[in-house]
Amino acid sequence: MTEEARTDHSLTPVLRVLRLCLHLMVAALLALAAVRAVAGGAPAAPAVLATAAVLLALYVLGPALPRVRGSARAAALWLAAVAAVWLVLLALTPDGVWLAFPLFFVELHLLPLRWALPAVTASTAAAIAGFAWHTGTLGVGTLIGPVLGAAVAVAVVLGYQALYRESEQRRRLIEELTEARSDLAAAERAAGVLAERERLAREIHDTLAQGLSSIQLLLRAAERAVPERPETALGHIRQARTAAVDNLAEARRFVRALSPPGLEAGSLPAALERLCAATARTSGLAVHCQVSGAPAPLPTPHEVALLRIAQSALANTVQHAAARRVELTLSYMDTEVALDVVDDGTGFVPADVPPPGSAAAGGSGFGLAAMRARARALQGTLAVESAPGEGTALAVTLPCPDPSAVPGTAQEAAP
């Protein structure tokens, strides 16, 4: 493919105007040579007219042919034919020397640089020789004119090519930057989607799933008590209804991205006491809650995380531990806040817990993973100590930032 075919699509309006001016220059110079030959009454005037017409037709026909536009070999042959007719015109009239200037641009545009420079040199020599032959003299002016024209043409074309290469480099750089920005945006979207999925999984596991499990346990207890103890069954059904109402409120606030209703109604210690009391009512376990240290305001994310971890830990105890007693302790320290949940159940081997979502987990196993994720998201730690027959102790520790530097504590949001 020729240089013209490669760059045709990327020409700016200015370059298109310059190319049109070059074509008009060729036509004007040919017309000038023909008019001067006829006006001067030269014997070769008919030959000049015919040669000028052939050169103009050949010059116009070349760019119009797809083969010339698409093949470097065909373009070179067309250029050779133009140069040959120009030499004939130069032999007929000295006015043909002026066509050397636009011919320089055509040669530099169509040919590779290693061939264009020799072609320009040969055209310059032909112009000087033709003009000297017609005038019979070889002066400084005869040499300087074509040489200066060739130098200007070479400088203009080389400068344009340098600017074009720089423009192409900038265009490619912009394309690469745009592509990199698109890839980064896609990666950020993917990371955001993954983080949101993890958040949703934790929220659903720690709220709706645990609430539904409690409702299921209450309904099973009510089913067993229906034949002989209708009053007890009615109590279990009422507790299940209360749990359903509470979970519906959780779901609504979860959709609206608000704080848990337990925290909206008061402080974290009060929310933990209500959670322990509700767990004791629904499960029959002895659940005790105590607070160590002076309660201090915590950022809302810290209080939400501690409440959710407590909900998940108590739900695991009710469903899996077969425990009789659970101790929940919230400890306020100078730079940390800790939550400990200890039960006297059957215990387990923490290292043997399958990863969540695996076939061995049977669709469960999200509790510990969700609690660890919550603690890790707040630069905290979660530790689990357990052994078969020795109960389970879960401890989560979160750093306490300066309350004055973190707006939006739960107490500020409480009515």
Side-chain angles (χ1 to χ4, degrees), residues 67-236:
R67 185 172 181 82
V68 173
R69 294 172 60 86
S71 170
R73 181 181 178 84
L77 292 176
W78 170 79
L79 181 59
V82 170
V85 178
W86 170 69
L87 290 176
V88 173
L89 182 65
L90 183 62
L92 293 174
T93 174
D95 294 326
V97 71
W98 304 113
L99 288 164
F101 187 68
L103 185 61
F104 294 154
F105 285 99
V106 176
E107 291 169 341
L108 289 168
H109 184 63
L110 290 181
L111 298 177
L113 191 61
R114 65 179 182 276
W115 299 110
L117 293 179
V120 170
T121 302
S123 300
T124 304
I128 294 173
F131 191 78
W133 182 69
H134 281 289
T135 59
T137 60
L138 183 61
V140 177
T142 304
L143 292 173
I144 290 179
V147 171
L148 184 60
V152 170
V154 171
V156 170
V157 171
L158 292 182
Y160 161 73
Q161 291 178 351
L163 291 175
Y164 179 77
R165 286 193 297 269
E166 183 179 355
S167 175
E168 283 296 296
Q169 291 176 355
R170 289 181 178 178
R171 181 184 62 81
R172 287 193 294 268
L173 179 60
I174 291 173
E175 290 178 352
E176 292 174 359
L177 291 175
T178 302
E179 183 178 357
R181 185 171 61 182
S182 299
D183 293 342
L184 179 60
E188 290 178 348
R189 285 195 297 271
V193 169
L194 181 60
E196 184 64 13
R197 286 178 178 175
E198 292 179 354
R199 186 186 73 84
L200 291 174
R202 290 196 303 267
E203 293 293 337
I204 292 173
H205 178 274
D206 294 343
T207 57
L208 303 182
Q210 305 297 353
L212 293 174
S213 298
S214 298
I215 293 171
Q216 182 184 25
L217 292 175
L218 289 168
L219 293 178
R220 284 181 179 176
E223 184 180 12
R224 289 193 297 268
V226 164
E228 300 176 357
R229 293 171 293 156
E231 291 297 329
T232 302
L234 182 59
H236 289 320

Side-chain angles (χ1 to χ4, degrees), residues 27-52:
L29 291 175
L30 286 173
L32 177 63
V35 170
R36 284 173 61 87
V38 173
V48 172
L49 286 174
T51 305

Side-chain angles (χ1 to χ4, degrees), residues 42-69:
V48 172
L49 286 174
T51 305
V54 171
L55 182 57
L56 181 60
L58 185 62
Y59 185 85
V60 173
L61 181 63
L65 295 175
R67 185 172 181 82
V68 173
R69 294 172 60 86

Side-chain angles (χ1 to χ4, degrees), residues 248-275:
L248 181 59
E250 290 275 5
R252 288 172 176 170
R253 285 164 175 80
F254 173 61
V255 171
R256 297 172 186 170
L258 299 177
S259 300
L263 293 177
E264 288 184 356
S267 63
L268 176 62
L272 292 176
E273 290 178 359
R274 288 193 296 272
L275 172 64

Side-chain angles (χ1 to χ4, degrees), residues 373-401:
R374 287 186 183 276
R376 188 167 53 247
L378 297 174
Q379 288 75 49
T381 59
L382 184 139
V384 179
E385 296 182 1
S386 183
E390 298 183 7
T392 301
L394 182 146
V396 59
T397 304
L398 301 180
C400 290

